Amino acid sequence: MSDALDEVIAPRLSLCMIVKDEKKNLPRCLESAKPYVDEMIVVDTGSQDGTPEIALQYGAKVDYFKWCDDFAAARNFSLSLASGDWILVLDADEELVVNTDALKEELTSKTEVIAYLLMLSEANAVEGTTPLHTPRLFRNLPELRYVSRLHEYIDLKKWYGRPNFLTDLKSLKILHHPKTDPQEIQQELIERDIAILERIQQEEGISLRLLYSLAGVYEATQQAEKAQECYAEAFERLFPHLMEGNPPDDFAFIPSLIFTLAGQSLQNQDYETARLITQRGLEWCANYPPINYIAGMTLISLGFPLGAIAYFDNCLQLGKDVSYYTGEPFDISFMTTDAACGLGAAYIQMKSWQAAIYAFELALDFDENCTDAQRNLEGIKALLNQEM
């Protein structure tokens, strides 16, 4: 009797996927998730390689969606087929890694949670970029749906302000397996993204998130003028938020945009704008190391090295404490070599030679091949020898 009751109470978990031509990747993904989910829903968007048949072999429920250049619509169709209490979303080139024997118990232990953040990292990646923490496990609720035709994301605005509605689930993580020919695949994806983004821009107007994405793919295809037009429009849209102090509702990509726009302003020697952008960025996301770093570099350019030191120290401390913002991946060097070299540059401006030596030696502890640190150490030692 108790066993039957446990089965009724235990939440059901649905895996929802959208796929196209993934016969090589899909078996690994389904094998990784099958022991932990109660149903697997695979929605095919136009495969020509037998992907649906592979999904059926693994016991998945297969359905079809006519592709319309709208990833959110395809995702939402897959969600509409789920019967579970919770939904897990994976892509075919991903693998689920589970570090618990009590997943269902964890899902029922926190009644206030609407969605869980899962760590997403590259399989066999060389250390260099922080992992992304993304909401891929959430309750099966009609109002929880994806938005944005490209770079789709689950819309959680309804629960903003509600305590503990979104939290990390450390017992699950996702490994992303890069394609076998990354350069060719990447070029195909960029061309696809440009076509979709330009169509969105022409047909319905483009969101700030997608405008930033369009700037990035223009840069990747050496279309500098078009990229700069996008960045200029992004700054224009962000400007009222910078002046009023309220961040945009769709915040996930804003720290990265802040860093990019501040870096461009600094490069153009527009220090006033760089200062405004970094000041707001730090108010909105104080634990994002790239913003701390660019704030420090801005103060050095303005001749305030003492103020810059605090920002570089904060970068190093965020790395040491592992307390940095996880909503966007970024280069780990902002918490190691770049931060230490920034610290050294500030001490050079202050003519605090021994402190500068310590900072650049710290950079070499992080990366023994750091040429910036090596060059500065040689310069400082040569200067000190001359003074002697």
Side-chain angles (χ1 to χ4, degrees):
M1 184 74 173
S2 60
D3 289 343
L5 183 60
D6 289 341
E7 289 179 9
V8 172
I9 294 174
R12 297 186 76 252
L13 179 57
S14 300
L15 170 66
C16 290
M17 305 179 65
I18 60 173
V19 298
K20 181 183 178 183
D21 294 332
E22 291 285 2
K23 69 177 182 179
K24 293 182 180 179
N25 287 309
L26 189 58
R28 177 184 55 227
C29 180
L30 295 179
E31 285 176 1
S32 72
K34 188 172 182 178
Y36 307 100
V37 300
D38 298 285
E39 67 176 354
M40 299 188 295
I41 295 167
V42 175
V43 171
D44 190 82
T45 62
S47 293
Q48 301 295 321
D49 67 347
T51 292
E53 289 74 19
I54 293 172
L56 289 170
Q57 290 172 15
Y58 280 84
K61 300 176 182 177
V62 175
D63 213 317
Y64 299 88
F65 180 84
K66 185 177 180 181
W67 186 242
C68 57
D69 285 344
D70 190 332
F71 283 88
R75 294 278 186 206
N76 291 335
F77 177 69
S78 73
L79 301 190
S80 72
L81 304 175
S83 63
D85 305 293
W86 289 82
I87 292 174
L88 170 68
V89 173
L90 294 175
D91 288 330
D93 58 359
E94 295 173 345
E95 178 182 3
L96 186 68
V97 179
V98 182
N99 298 312
T100 179
D101 295 325
L103 176 58
K104 297 293 183 72
E105 288 81 352
E106 287 193 46
L107 294 182
T108 56
S109 64
K110 297 180 180 179
T111 57
E112 72 278 14
V113 173
I114 299 298
Y116 283 104
L117 296 164
L118 304 186
M119 186 176 78
L120 172 62
S121 57
E122 296 293 315
N124 304 317
V126 177
E127 183 176 345
T129 304
T130 60
L132 170 69
H133 290 238
T134 179
R136 293 288 201 89
L137 179 62
F138 45 86
R139 294 184 186 274
N140 187 3
L141 301 174
E143 58 268 43
L144 265 179
R145 288 296 182 264
Y146 279 90
V147 294
S148 187
R149 285 170 60 180
L150 186 67
H151 304 310
E152 70 283 6
Y153 60 96
I154 199 74
D155 187 0
L156 293 164
K157 285 198 296 288
K158 178 179 178 179
W159 290 274
Y160 286 178
R162 177 172 168 174
N164 303 317
F165 81 95
L166 181 66
T167 188
D168 283 288
L169 186 63
K170 296 181 179 180
S171 58
L172 297 187
K173 70 177 183 178
I174 301 170
L175 290 180
H176 174 249
H177 292 267
K179 300 291 193 296
T180 53
D181 191 353
Q183 279 194 332
E184 182 180 339
I185 298 286
Q186 186 68 13
Q187 188 61 33
E188 289 178 6
L189 292 177
I190 287 173
E191 291 173 359
R192 178 205 69 187
D193 287 0
I194 288 178
I196 294 175
L197 289 167
E198 288 181 340
R199 198 150 45 242
I200 292 171
Q201 192 174 38
Q202 293 166 6
E203 293 175 358
E204 61 193 62
I206 195 167
S207 67
L208 181 57
R209 175 194 286 255
L210 293 186
L211 181 64
Y212 182 34
S213 177
L214 183 58
V217 291
Y218 278 147
E219 275 192 324
T221 51
Q222 288 76 52
Q223 300 183 67
E225 188 174 338
K226 287 185 175 181
Q228 200 49 51
E229 288 175 0
C230 291
Y231 285 127
E233 184 180 342
F235 176 73
E236 185 179 336
R237 290 203 206 174
L238 191 62
F239 188 73
H241 296 278
L242 296 172
M243 296 304 294
E244 296 166 10
N246 56 313
D249 289 338
D250 182 10
F251 186 74
F253 68 102
I254 291 298
S256 174
L257 176 60
I258 289 283
F259 169 73
T260 300
L261 295 176
Q264 290 180 349
S265 298
L266 183 59
Q267 188 174 16
N268 294 331
Q269 298 184 348
D270 183 357
Y271 303 126
E272 184 178 350
T273 300
R275 193 78 179 98
L276 169 65
I277 295 172
T278 54
Q279 180 181 344
R280 285 300 187 213
L282 289 168
E283 289 174 10
W284 297 342
C285 196
N287 62 337
Y288 188 60
I291 298 180
N292 280 271
Y293 174 80
I294 206 71
M297 296 305 295
T298 300
L299 287 180
I300 286 178
S301 299
L302 288 168
F304 300 116
L306 188 61
I309 288 170
Y311 293 114
F312 297 129
D313 278 339
N314 196 35
C315 288
L316 293 167
Q317 195 63 44
L318 288 169
K320 183 179 179 181
D321 297 341
V322 195
S323 55
Y324 51 82
Y325 176 68
T326 58
E328 288 187 87
F330 60 89
D331 198 309
I332 289 173
S333 64
F334 285 114
M335 302 183 293
T336 56
T337 51
D338 288 347
C341 285
L343 202 58
Y347 283 126
I348 284 178
Q349 200 172 82
M350 295 170 64
K351 297 184 178 180
S352 298
W353 307 121
Q354 293 304 319
I357 288 172
Y358 171 80
F360 289 122
E361 286 179 343
L362 177 61
L364 290 173
D365 286 341
F366 289 123
D367 178 7
E368 62 183 11
N369 298 314
C370 178
T371 55
D372 188 25
Q374 291 170 347
R375 184 177 61 254
N376 277 286
L377 280 173
E378 290 172 3
I380 293 171
K381 290 176 182 178
L383 178 65
L384 293 178
N385 286 334
Q386 287 177 2
E387 292 181 353
M388 291 176 62

